[in-house]
Amino acid sequence: NAGVTQTPKFRILKIGQSMTLQCAQDMNHNYMYWYRQDPGMGLKLIYYSVGAGITDKGEVPNGYNVSRSTTEDFPLRLELAAPSQTSVYFCASREGAKGYTFGSGTRLTVV
Amino acid sequence: AQRVTQPEKLLSVFKGAPVELKCNYSYSGSPELFWYVQYSRQRLQLLLRHISRESIKGFTADLNKGETSFHLKKPFAQEEDSAMYYCALSGQGGSGGSNYKLTFGKGTLLTVNP
């Protein structure tokens, strides 16, 4: 039981490049979330999903896209990377009233 | 709208001293409150949930609905407690996943000096 797995752990992108941050969970959780963590700002919700095929915007969705074709996977897509997207990205999952499980994070730098 | 306020960005105490990390919240329904801890460059780990009312690593937190607070306390701080602490709020169910969204405070960096 691996929990929530995020890849890659680190990535450097040039402005305008695209990439997909991967997130997978093996706990059969319906709810999955993407957060970004910036110094002094806490964590802000980018997108979330309540089940396969259903996604919705969070607090800071601009510049990102998500898909949820399976219960296990919830990738986050950056289409045209900008310096403002330099951050640490955390994926999380939750099942009902149980607590959240977080991934180990992806540290992204856009130069 | 749900909001979590952690008024202290930084908190520095000496080993063995009591520590209290403040958290206030705003939410119209019945919230679920959490404390998460993040050690240097690691993932967030759940420290406490108000529902479970347990003590983890000597930390406790009581939900005070009158004061809308969920302060984290420990009577005797240890050096290994040095970390970033986040208070977070979630709704307790309802339709869809929106009520399960975690709203985080901005965090308090606790430093325990020897």
Side-chain angles (χ1 to χ4, degrees):
Chain A
N1 192 336
V4 177
T5 302
Q6 288 184 241
T7 56
K9 292 192 184 302
F10 306 94
R11 184 72 185 268
I12 298 175
L13 278 183
K14 293 184 178 179
I15 294 172
Q17 285 186 320
S18 301
M19 79 163 293
T20 299
L21 282 68
Q22 301 291 344
C23 175
Q25 53 94 6
D26 60 0
M27 298 169 285
N28 204 33
H29 287 174
N30 282 322
Y31 301 102
M32 295 187 74
Y33 307 84
W34 273 106
Y35 289 88
R36 59 176 289 172
Q37 181 184 37
D38 299 298
M41 300 301 293
L43 282 83
K44 293 190 181 297
L45 182 65
I46 306 171
Y47 269 95
Y48 67 98
S49 170
V50 302
I54 307 171
T55 63
D56 207 347
K57 295 178 181 179
E59 193 179 352
V60 290
N62 291 343
Y64 307 95
N65 275 302
V66 293
S67 59
R68 186 90 183 273
S69 56
T70 66
T71 299
E72 293 78 20
D73 300 300
F74 190 41
L76 178 72
R77 178 89 179 153
L78 282 72
E79 289 296 348
L80 293 169
S84 61
Q85 293 177 305
T86 293
S87 188
V88 181
Y89 292 84
F90 286 99
C91 179
S93 71
R94 181 177 188 180
E95 187 55 47
K98 299 177 184 175
Y100 286 69
T101 300
F102 281 85
S104 57
T106 295
R107 188 173 295 271
L108 175 67
T109 303
V110 182
V111 296
Chain B
Q2 53 195 64
R3 187 167 63 244
V4 177
T5 303
Q6 293 180 250
E8 304 139 328
K9 283 189 177 180
L10 304 169
L11 183 61
S12 182
V13 301
F14 285 103
K15 176 182 174 181
V19 62
E20 182 180 47
L21 287 81
K22 291 183 166 47
C23 172
N24 289 91
Y25 67 90
S26 173
Y27 186 69
S28 57
S30 293
E32 187 173 5
L33 275 297
F34 304 83
W35 276 100
Y36 282 86
V37 60
Q38 185 180 33
Y39 300 101
S40 181
R41 295 190 169 226
Q42 295 186 21
R43 74 179 72 196
L44 277 79
Q45 302 174 38
L46 178 64
L47 185 61
L48 286 175
R49 301 172 65 185
H50 90 271
I51 285 177
S52 58
R53 299 185 65 81
E54 56 191 345
S55 173
I56 303 294
K57 298 184 179 181
F59 285 97
T60 59
D62 290 316
L63 179 60
N64 185 323
K65 292 185 177 181
E67 296 183 357
T68 59
S69 68
F70 188 56
H71 302 327
L72 183 68
K73 300 177 184 179
K74 185 169 183 177
F76 308 103
Q78 303 299 315
E79 289 180 66
E80 55 265 32
D81 296 328
S82 295
M84 180 70 83
Y85 290 81
Y86 291 99
C87 183
L89 175 154
S90 168
Q92 291 196 38
S95 61
S98 59
N99 281 343
Y100 289 133
K101 287 186 295 185
L102 267 180
T103 297
F104 286 86
K106 293 185 178 182
T108 297
L109 180 62
L110 173 66
T111 302
V112 181
N113 300 298

